């Protein structure tokens, strides 16, 4: 079983954490970590059943796709998520492909303080279809 310290360490060690503290992220009451084996999916509470997703996965390929889909299932069925979105940096084509493989729908490009990103969304309605 993954402990809070393991989640905190994974966030702190992530090269794309933008200076975020794992302890601060975990302390935010609405945030949800979903752990599948060694894979950790982080869902930032954006209010009103909307979450931003971040994947800290060890697995790759089909195993990673299966972990992401299981994390989404848990968020929609167990936590009542209505919409999950991800901002994928423009310079990560493998992450954009992954977003599509796990069910994300490309909505458009967005400029962020960390550079251009592609916005992907997955709604509960899309998931259930």
């Amino acid at each position: 079983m993954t402990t809070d310290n393991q989640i905190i360490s994974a966030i702190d060690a992530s090269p794309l954490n933008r200076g975020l503290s794992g302890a601060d992220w975990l302390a935010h009451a609405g945030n949800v970590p979903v752990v599948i084996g060694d894979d950790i999916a982080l869902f930032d509470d954006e209010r009103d059943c909307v979450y931003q997703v971040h994947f800290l996965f060890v697995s790759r390929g089909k195993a990673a796709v299966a972990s992401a889909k299981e994390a989404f299932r848990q968020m929609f069925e167990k936590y009542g998520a209505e919409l999950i979105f991800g901002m994928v940096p423009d310079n990560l084509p493998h992450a954009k492909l992954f977003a599509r493989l796990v069910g994300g729908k490309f909505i458009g490009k967005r400029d962020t303080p960390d550079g251009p990103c592609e916005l992907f969304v997955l709604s509960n309605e899309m998931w259930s279809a």
Side-chain angles (χ1 to χ4, degrees), residues 61-119:
K62 290 180 183 180
V65 169
S67 288
K69 288 183 176 183
E70 173 57 20
F72 289 151
R73 184 195 67 74
Q74 288 186 36
M75 287 304 297
F76 290 124
E77 294 179 8
K78 185 175 178 182
Y79 295 98
E82 287 298 322
L83 181 72
I84 297 170
F85 71 93
M87 298 288 289
V88 181
D90 230 11
N91 64 342
L92 298 177
H94 62 284
K96 292 187 264 189
L97 175 62
F98 183 74
R100 287 181 174 89
L101 290 173
V102 300
K105 179 181 178 188
F106 173 74
I107 297 298
K109 292 193 176 209
R110 302 289 187 268
D111 288 322
T112 73
D114 298 309
C117 290
E118 290 191 7
L119 173 62

Side-chain angles (χ1 to χ4, degrees), residues 10-123:
I11 294 169
D12 290 344
S14 174
L16 297 176
N17 76 3
R18 302 174 316 276
L20 178 69
S21 156
D24 289 346
W25 185 89
L26 202 56
H28 186 280
N31 290 344
V32 179
V34 176
V35 179
I36 297 105
D38 291 330
D39 295 333
I40 302 171
L42 304 173
F43 294 89
D44 299 349
D45 179 22
E46 299 289 336
R47 298 180 148 186
D48 300 324
C49 301
V50 175
Y51 295 87
Q52 181 174 4
V53 65
H54 310 276
F55 296 113
L56 303 179
F57 282 9
V58 173
S59 66
R60 297 290 181 256
K62 290 180 183 180
V65 169
S67 288
K69 288 183 176 183
E70 173 57 20
F72 289 151
R73 184 195 67 74
Q74 288 186 36
M75 287 304 297
F76 290 124
E77 294 179 8
K78 185 175 178 182
Y79 295 98
E82 287 298 322
L83 181 72
I84 297 170
F85 71 93
M87 298 288 289
V88 181
D90 230 11
N91 64 342
L92 298 177
H94 62 284
K96 292 187 264 189
L97 175 62
F98 183 74
R100 287 181 174 89
L101 290 173
V102 300
K105 179 181 178 188
F106 173 74
I107 297 298
K109 292 193 176 209
R110 302 289 187 268
D111 288 322
T112 73
D114 298 309
C117 290
E118 290 191 7
L119 173 62
F120 290 85
V121 300
L122 180 62
S123 68

